[in-house]
Amino acid sequence: MAGSVFGLGGQLDVQAASLSLIAIVIFTIGFEVFTHHLDHYLEGTAYKEMVDKIYQELTILGLISFGVFIFLQSPAKDEVPSNIIIAFEFSHIVIFFSAMFFVMEAFF
């Protein structure tokens, strides 16, 4: 699988990969702590529902991104024109920013 992350074993810089993994774990823990405190702070307010919607949107878009990533690593990507893939990713990002815009509009 040329160009696939699944065939990187022999070419992988272990130190860079380890540092990347540590950075992702630290970011994830920090984000989790932040959102935990935010949930407690907003409990019982209308903002809590908005923040929950943001979490749902991020979850859905994360799953879409993961699916696109897996698809782009597979041999099936060669059968789909690149302009279709780019258009799909563009639409995905536009939907995300539109949702975030409406949430921010509700905050202010």
Side-chain angles (χ1 to χ4, degrees), residues 71-89:
F71 172 75
L72 291 175
Q73 299 304 312
S74 74
K77 79 171 184 294
D78 298 333
E79 297 179 23
V80 177
S82 64
N83 64 330
I84 300 294
I85 294 171
I86 292 169
F88 179 81
E89 289 197 24

Side-chain angles (χ1 to χ4, degrees), residues 71-108:
F71 172 75
L72 291 175
Q73 299 304 312
S74 74
K77 79 171 184 294
D78 298 333
E79 297 179 23
V80 177
S82 64
N83 64 330
I84 300 294
I85 294 171
I86 292 169
F88 179 81
E89 289 197 24
F90 175 78
S91 301
H92 169 235
I93 299 299
V94 167
I95 290 169
F96 170 75
F97 280 109
S98 297
M100 293 300 108
F101 173 77
F102 288 128
V103 168
M104 287 298 144
E105 177 97 14
F107 274 119
F108 302 106

Side-chain angles (χ1 to χ4, degrees), residues 10-29:
Q11 304 167 16
L12 188 65
D13 179 354
V14 176
Q15 184 177 9
S18 298
L19 290 175
S20 297
L21 183 61
I22 290 168
I24 291 170
V25 168
I26 290 171
F27 174 80
T28 303
I29 291 170

